[in-house]
Amino acid sequence: MGIHALRSRLVENEDSFAARRRSKRATWLVETFPDLAQMSIVDLGGRVETWARAAVRPKHVHVVNLEAPPPEIPDWAEVDYGDACALPPAISHRRYDLVFSNSVLEHVGGHERRVRFAESVHLLSDAHWVQTPYRYFPIEPHWIAPGMQFLPVRFRTLVARRWPLAHSPAKSHEAAIQQVLWTELVDRSQMRHYFPQSQIRVERLATLPKSLIAVLGSP
């Protein structure tokens, strides 16, 4: 099997291993919040297309991220350009039924900004679902590279440029080190620190913790 076919089977196509894991996690979300279809949610760092494909879609979805809004936005959604660690008053003064975030916490830029991200989560709602990959799972999930997260920055940068399973290998050293420095996986102690009142659920793969989910406000 070629490298591109292997990556497709692992993470890219609709029947990939990663897609099945996301589907299972989505089912877990609905089981945790059975009224999801009637809820207003804010998705910090997400995309409208994720909810357009969802089996159960909230009544209203407000996406806040640092990407340009898509050209077309459905009537059940709104999109704002914004930093989840420093929300503008027009967003921070609002309240939602649920704050949702998937695989964003590890990209916000260090401990101080993770604290500010958690503050935003707590400010916007009494309920949240915040997922992030677990630092000590043996495969780094962004590059599908064994143990990459434990290497010095220099070697992680080399992996980011040359590892064949990477989705889009960096085209320069500067681009690679930028990707590496903005990806910092966290462990359970950190998640408990950022979300002290939450239940920290563990998503497992072959008995090994694969990701962590801070959950608050479920029935």
Side-chain angles (χ1 to χ4, degrees):
M1 179 184 295
I3 291 297
H4 293 297
L6 177 59
R7 180 171 179 89
S8 180
R9 175 170 291 186
L10 288 173
V11 298
E12 288 182 348
N13 66 42
E14 294 183 358
D15 192 42
S16 68
F17 170 78
R20 293 195 298 272
R21 299 299 299 183
R22 286 192 297 269
S23 177
K24 184 175 181 179
R25 198 181 303 144
T27 299
W28 199 1
L29 173 67
V30 174
E31 291 172 350
T32 303
F33 296 98
D35 295 331
L36 185 67
Q38 285 76 50
M39 298 174 79
S40 68
I41 78 162
V42 58
D43 184 342
L44 299 180
R47 293 188 175 100
V48 171
E49 63 193 56
T50 300
W51 297 103
R53 296 193 304 263
V56 177
R57 190 180 67 229
K59 182 178 180 180
H60 184 78
V61 177
H62 187 183
V63 170
V64 179
N65 63 26
L66 294 173
E67 298 178 349
E72 296 185 7
I73 300 173
D75 57 7
W76 48 264
E78 62 181 304
V79 179
D80 277 306
Y81 180 90
D83 183 350
C85 303
L87 293 171
I91 298 174
S92 64
H93 291 169
R94 293 175 62 171
R95 294 284 288 175
Y96 303 84
D97 296 323
L98 176 69
V99 178
F100 177 90
S101 181
N102 187 72
S103 295
V104 174
L105 184 67
E106 73 272 21
H107 295 299
V108 299
H111 169 67
E112 181 182 356
R113 282 179 54 82
R114 287 194 292 269
V115 169
R116 290 161 61 188
F117 181 93
E119 289 173 349
S120 294
V121 170
H122 293 115
L123 179 69
L124 294 171
S125 177
D126 294 329
H128 57 249
W129 172 284
V130 179
Q131 182 271 351
T132 189
Y134 179 54
R135 173 172 175 76
Y136 294 106
F137 187 69
I139 308 295
E140 205 295 329
H142 302 89
W143 285 274
I144 322 297
M148 176 184 173
Q149 65 269 40
F150 307 119
L151 298 175
V153 170
R154 175 185 177 186
F155 294 108
R156 279 186 280 155
T157 302
L158 288 173
V159 173
R161 287 201 68 181
R162 301 179 182 178
W163 183 246
L165 289 178
H167 180 264
S168 53
K171 296 181 180 180
S172 68
H173 173 81
E174 185 58 33
I177 197 169
Q178 183 84 349
Q179 292 175 0
V180 164
L181 293 178
W182 279 92
T183 304
E184 186 176 358
L185 305 183
V186 302
D187 64 17
R188 274 183 270 197
S189 295
Q190 290 169 291
M191 283 292 275
R192 290 193 187 101
H193 176 73
Y194 301 134
F195 302 100
Q197 305 303 319
S198 308
Q199 176 188 3
I200 306 301
R201 296 186 181 178
V202 180
E203 179 188 16
R204 296 180 181 274
L205 176 62
T207 75
L208 297 176
K210 181 181 181 295
S211 72
L212 307 173
I213 308 171
V215 180
L216 186 67
S218 58

